[in-house]
Amino acid sequence: MRRRSSHVNTHNGFALLMALVFLVLLSMLAIAASQHSLLQERMAGSFRNAQQARMSAETALRGAEYKLWWLAGQAGGRLHCQEATITHDDGCVIYRADSAPYAANGAVTRFQSATRWIDGIGVPYVMPKGDGYTPALAKTPVYIIEDLGSERPPGVGGLHESGNTGPNNGGQIDVHVYRITARATGGSINVMAVVQSTFNAPLHP
């Protein structure tokens, strides 16, 4: 009977050891799977934030373009652009390479090149209903508009438009070129997109 008891105890001890080994292996597999799942979730979240930032910046950009187009159709409609500063009502500045906004630490330079979000520069993009932007974003998208000056007929120099929409019309319409820069974040303020476009529109006297 003693030999039989010893033999049974040995088998029970071996089974317990194997159960512990399998338990450890299963735990390691579960931890690896959860880490992989967490990594995939973070990657998906980062991609979503990047897409949000890009689409939001594009939306603000198109909103500023629409504003220029709408003003062009209004009698006396025009932006209140200034040379030394970005206006607070429509975010417009007249392009002068040697002016303060274009200095190394100027407002326009920082708005266009800063890698982090900056407050106090630009005009927030507001949807047509006036409700602001989606609360899913960390910050409301903002934009600035630069008046780059009048278009010139081909061959004259400077900015020019050679198509039917250009100033090659007897000089009756003063068509200006504008550069629009928009900045937006995703759901995280650490994810940001900056987009830019040029847009031409008549400037009313």
Side-chain angles (χ1 to χ4, degrees):
M1 292 298 293
R2 290 180 181 177
R3 289 181 180 178
R4 183 178 179 184
S5 175
S6 175
H7 183 69
V8 170
N9 289 338
T10 301
H11 276 283
N12 289 341
F14 181 76
L16 178 61
L17 178 61
M18 291 302 296
L20 289 175
V21 169
F22 278 109
L23 180 61
V24 170
L25 290 175
L26 289 174
S27 299
M28 291 176 64
L29 289 174
I31 293 173
S34 64
Q35 288 178 341
H36 180 72
S37 177
L38 183 60
L39 178 62
Q40 291 292 327
E41 184 179 353
R42 288 178 178 175
M43 290 174 62
S46 297
F47 180 75
R48 179 175 180 271
N49 278 328
Q51 289 293 94
Q52 275 186 318
R54 177 73 184 192
M55 289 189 293
S56 301
E58 290 282 355
T59 301
L61 193 73
R62 303 309 168 206
E65 290 177 351
Y66 175 79
K67 180 177 182 178
L68 287 170
W69 186 254
W70 180 83
L71 286 173
Q74 306 298 311
R78 61 186 302 166
L79 298 173
H80 307 127
C81 306
Q82 297 182 14
E83 289 191 14
T85 185
I86 301 173
T87 57
H88 294 289
D89 56 347
D90 48 31
C92 188
V93 59
I94 298 175
Y95 174 76
R96 294 289 185 271
D98 56 351
S99 63
Y102 292 91
N105 198 36
V108 174
T109 303
R110 287 190 291 130
F111 188 86
Q112 293 177 344
S113 61
T115 57
R116 294 182 178 274
W117 186 261
I118 49 178
D119 292 311
I121 303 177
V123 174
Y125 170 70
V126 179
M127 292 188 297
K129 291 183 179 179
D131 298 331
Y133 208 79
T134 170
L137 302 178
K139 291 285 185 177
T140 300
V142 291
Y143 65 86
I144 64 171
I145 302 174
E146 301 169 79
D147 185 348
L148 302 182
S150 299
E151 292 179 337
R152 299 289 184 266
V156 172
L159 301 168
H160 66 84
E161 168 65 52
S162 59
N164 294 329
T165 59
N168 222 2
N169 50 23
Q172 296 178 0
I173 300 177
D174 184 15
V175 179
H176 276 224
V177 177
Y178 298 93
R179 180 166 58 199
I180 306 165
T181 307
R183 297 169 67 92
T185 66
S188 168
I189 197 172
N190 296 320
V191 181
M192 187 182 63
V194 181
V195 295
Q196 194 174 78
S197 72
T198 55
F199 192 86
N200 65 331
L203 182 67
H204 293 280

